[in-house]
Amino acid sequence: MTTTNLPPQNPREDVALPRLGPAGMLRWAWRQLTSMKTALQLLLLLAVAAVPGSLFPQRPANPAVVTQYIQDNPGTGPWLDRFQLFDVYSSVWFSAIYLLLFISLIGCVIPRAMQHWKALRSQPPRTPRRLSRLPEYGTMTVAAGTALTPDRAIEDAARILRQRGYRVQLRDTGTDLPSVAAERGYLKEAGNLVFHTAMIGVLVSIAVGGMFGYRGQKLIIEGEGFTNSEPGYDSFFPGTSFNPGALVPFSLTLNNFDVTFDRKPASYGNPIDFTADMTVQDSPSDAPRQETLRVNEPIGFGGTNVYLIGNGYAPEITVRDGEGNIALQGPVPALPTDATYNSTIVIKAPDARPDQLGFVGFFLPTAMVDENGVAFGSDPDPYNPQLNLNSYTGDLGLDDGNPVSVYQLDTTELTQLNGRDLPDGGIVLGAYQTYELPDGKGSITFDGLKRYVALDIVYDPGKAGALVFTTLALLGLIITLTTARRRVWIRAGKHEDGRTMVEYGLLARGEDHSLAKEAIRIGSALTTHWNKAHDQNRQATP
C-alpha cells in the first residue's frame, strides 16, 4: 500500500471576498454609526467623558483655581491643559463624541420611525398553520348542541380581544376554519421613538444654551451694586454665538447679608441659613423692588437667573503712603479657606508714593491664640476680628498691561517690610487699629468689617427645552418598559361529532415574562363569555 502525501489545502483559497469600494465602505460606516448599539455606546462614552469635568477644576467656572492648580502642579498641570481637561465641555474630543451621538440618534430614529409608521398601517400577520408551535398555546371545546358556530366563536373572540386593547382582523370567515389575528403593544415602539427623539431634543437644547447663553460671576460687597453688562462682571463666559444684546439690563444692590450658624454643641458653627436682602430693578425704567436671595432660590430677570454660590468677609482698610496720602480706602474681600471662615487676603495699593505697597496674610473672624502664641480662628461669627499681614514694597506689576489676579500677589520682585521672620515682625491688626510701616513707608488701618456675596449669573435659552425633552424622554422610557408587544391568533373549527373546537396561540415581540398570564386571561375571558351565553340560551328555551 502506497501512501501519498498531498500538500495541505487552504479551505478558503477559493473564497473571493467582495470589494466594498469607497461607496460601500461609506455605507457600511453609516450603518455602524446609526445602529442602536452604537448610539448606546456613544451615550455611555459621553457620560464617561464628562467625569474629568468633576475631577479637575474647569476654566469657565473658576479660571483662578485652574491657574493655581497649574502652578501647584508644574509637572502634570500643563499636560492636563494640553488635553483640555480644564475645558472638558468645550474640548475637541468631548464635542466630537457629542456630535457623533447626535448624528447616530438621528440616523437611528428616522428609519425606525418610518418602519413604525408602516407597521401602524399594516394588518396583523397571517394566522400560522400550527399554533401549537407558539410559546403559549391552548385549546377549548364547546359541546355539541350549542348555538356557537365557528364564525360566531371567532366574532366573540375578536370582540374580547378588542376590549383588551388588541387590533384585530378576521380571516377566512365563512370557511371551515375561520380565525382572528390580533396584535397590540405599538406604544412600546412609539415610546422608544419618543425617548430617542427626546434625547435629540436634549442635545439640541444643550447646544442652544452653549451657543447663545452666557455665564458670569460677580462678587458684591454690602452697600455696593451691579448692573448687568460685560464690563461689570469679575469673570464672563459667553457662548460661541452670544449676542451682547441678549443681556437683560437689570441691576441689583446688596443691602445686607446675614448668615445664621448652628450653636448646638454637636454641630456648632455649621451654617443654617444664608439670606441676602437686595434691591433690584428689571430695567432702568422699572421701579426698584426688594428681593431676598437664598441658596437654591435664585432671582430671575427675563430668563437670566442670579444664584448665590458663596460668601465671606470684606475688611474695610485704609492704606496711607509714605507721604501721608490715602492710597487705598474701602472694603477688600477675603477668601474663606475653611468652615470657620478663616480667610486669605491680598491688599494692593498701587497709588502709594513714593513706592507701591502690597499686603498678604489672613483674616480671622474670631481670633484666638494658642500656647505657642500662634493665632487661629475659632468661630465663623466676627466676635474678635483680626488681620495678620506681611507687607511689601516695590512694583506690584499692575502697570505693564498684563492681567493680574486681584487675589494673588507676586512677591518675587518685591521688598518685604514686615513678617514673622523679620525684626519688625508681622502686622497684627484688631478692629479699628492702625499699624505704622517701617522706614516711614506709610500705615494701614483696620476700619471695620462688611460681608460680601459671590453670585453666579446664568442665561441659558436651552434650559426650558432641556426640561421638556428630558420629561418626554422619561415618559417614553416608562412607556417602553411597561408596554408589551404581543400577537394573538385564535382559530375555530367544527369537529365531526358537532363540537366546536377552538385553539389559540400567543407570541411576544421581545422578552415578555407575563405572556403566560395573558394567555390565561384570554382563555378565561372566552370561557366566561361562552358559558354565560350558553346559560342565557338555556333559560330562554322553554
Side-chain angles (χ1 to χ4, degrees):
M1 180 176 179
T2 304
T3 301
T4 303
N5 293 325
L6 298 176
Q9 295 182 356
N10 184 359
R12 296 179 59 86
E13 64 182 3
D14 296 332
V15 177
L17 297 177
R19 298 187 62 182
L20 293 178
M25 184 63 71
L26 289 175
R27 190 181 303 111
W28 175 85
W30 174 254
R31 289 176 179 174
Q32 295 298 315
L33 178 61
T34 57
S35 66
M36 183 62 66
K37 180 180 179 180
T38 302
L40 293 176
Q41 291 174 344
L42 287 172
L43 188 60
L44 177 61
L45 185 60
L46 188 69
V48 173
V51 172
S54 59
L55 297 179
F56 300 102
Q58 297 299 294
R59 188 170 279 110
N62 200 329
V65 175
V66 173
T67 302
Q68 187 63 44
Y69 185 93
I70 295 175
Q71 292 177 353
D72 296 340
N73 300 272
T76 59
W79 281 101
L80 294 175
D81 199 16
R82 289 188 185 97
F83 287 107
Q84 299 179 300
L85 292 180
F86 300 122
D87 300 274
V88 168
Y89 306 111
S90 59
S91 64
V92 174
W93 47 272
F94 189 87
S95 300
I97 299 172
Y98 187 92
L99 291 176
L100 286 175
L101 177 60
F102 185 78
I103 296 172
S104 179
L105 287 174
I106 292 178
C108 179
V109 166
I110 293 177
R112 293 188 64 171
M114 297 174 63
Q115 293 176 3
H116 184 59
W117 175 251
K118 292 179 181 178
L120 289 175
R121 295 170 60 88
S122 63
Q123 297 297 330
R126 63 182 181 84
T127 305
R129 290 185 179 182
R130 298 183 182 181
L131 295 178
S132 57
R133 293 184 174 180
L134 297 179
E136 296 297 330
Y137 174 72
T139 60
M140 303 174 63
T141 303
V142 182
T146 63
L148 185 66
T149 63
D151 283 344
R152 178 63 182 273
I154 292 303
E155 291 175 358
D156 292 343
R159 187 180 306 110
I160 291 174
L161 291 175
R162 286 193 186 96
Q163 293 173 355
R164 296 190 59 80
Y166 286 87
R167 189 179 64 175
V168 302
Q169 184 183 33
L170 298 176
R171 304 276 175 79
D172 302 323
T173 56
T175 65
D176 294 337
L177 294 174
S179 65
V180 59
E183 188 172 12
R184 81 172 186 182
Y186 292 98
L187 277 178
K188 185 179 184 68
E189 181 64 15
N192 200 358
L193 290 173
V194 168
F195 172 77
H196 287 90
T197 304
M199 289 300 299
I200 296 174
V202 171
L203 294 178
V204 172
S205 299
I206 294 174
V208 169
M211 293 175 61
F212 301 101
Y214 66 87
R215 177 186 292 269
Q217 287 76 40
K218 179 62 179 178
L219 187 148
I220 304 179
I221 301 172
E222 287 177 325
E224 297 183 359
F226 166 74
T227 300
N228 191 30
S229 60
E230 285 191 57
Y233 283 91
D234 296 330
S235 59
F236 187 76
F237 306 97
T240 55
S241 302
F242 171 73
N243 180 10
L247 289 172
V248 180
F250 68 86
S251 62
L252 48 85
T253 300
L254 177 62
N255 301 320
N256 180 64
F257 182 72
D258 182 64
V259 183
T260 303
F261 296 101
D262 195 347
R263 295 306 175 186
K264 297 179 181 178
S267 54
Y268 189 87
N270 292 335
I272 297 176
D273 189 28
F274 301 94
T275 304
D277 295 327
M278 313 192 83
T279 300
V280 302
Q281 284 182 276
D282 293 322
S283 67
S285 60
D286 293 329
R289 69 177 191 276
Q290 301 301 312
E291 291 281 356
T292 300
L293 180 65
R294 289 187 172 91
V295 178
N296 298 325
E297 296 182 14
I299 300 176
F301 299 93
T304 302
N305 289 329
V306 178
Y307 298 89
L308 176 63
I309 61 172
N311 68 94
Y313 290 101
E316 295 184 271
I317 304 297
T318 297
V319 176
R320 293 182 180 273
D321 59 18
E323 299 176 357
N325 299 318
I326 295 177
L328 173 71
Q329 189 173 41
V332 179
L335 301 181
T337 58
D338 57 27
T340 57
Y341 283 75
N342 298 329
S343 310
T344 60
I345 187 169
V346 173
I347 304 170
K348 299 180 182 181
D351 296 332
R353 296 292 181 269
D355 298 309
Q356 296 179 346
L357 296 175
F359 303 84
V360 177
F362 55 90
F363 167 75
L364 305 176
T366 301
M368 302 288 288
V369 179
D370 60 14
E371 62 275 7
N372 298 320
V374 177
F376 66 94
S378 62
D379 196 281
D381 269 327
Y383 295 129
N384 181 31
Q386 185 182 95
L387 280 170
N388 292 264
L389 304 171
N390 294 339
S391 63
Y392 298 86
T393 183
D395 185 3
L396 301 181
L398 301 178
D399 300 328
D400 54 7
N402 295 324
V404 178
S405 173
V406 296
Y407 303 109
Q408 294 179 345
L409 178 64
D410 185 3
T411 61
T412 55
E413 302 296 332
L414 300 178
T415 301
Q416 187 172 358
L417 298 175
N418 290 94
R420 290 183 179 180
D421 54 343
L422 296 181
D424 291 306
I427 301 174
V428 178
L429 281 177
Y432 310 111
Q433 293 181 352
T434 298
Y435 185 91
E436 297 292 336
L437 299 176
D439 303 328
K441 294 295 184 178
S443 65
I444 181 170
T445 304
F446 185 5
D447 295 320
L449 190 64
K450 289 186 176 182
R451 291 185 181 269
Y452 70 82
V453 296
L455 305 180
D456 191 27
I457 303 171
V458 181
Y459 172 66
D460 186 358
K463 181 176 61 177
L467 175 62
V468 172
F469 287 117
T470 301
T471 305
L472 287 176
L474 181 60
L475 180 62
L477 185 61
I478 293 174
I479 293 174
T480 301
L481 296 177
T482 57
T483 304
R485 185 78 180 272
R486 296 166 179 164
R487 289 173 175 174
V488 180
W489 293 275
I490 301 177
R491 181 188 289 125
K494 204 73 172 181
H495 197 268
E496 295 178 355
D497 58 6
R499 292 179 298 167
T500 299
M501 309 295 294
V502 178
E503 62 175 347
Y504 59 90
L506 285 81
L507 177 66
R509 294 282 300 274
E511 190 175 1
D512 187 356
H513 298 289
S514 59
L515 187 64
K517 296 181 180 179
E518 179 68 6
I520 294 173
R521 295 189 189 98
I522 291 176
S524 176
L526 290 173
T527 301
T528 302
H529 177 76
W530 288 331
N531 288 340
K532 183 178 179 180
H534 180 64
D535 293 341
Q536 291 176 351
N537 290 336
R538 290 181 58 184
Q539 294 175 3
T541 302

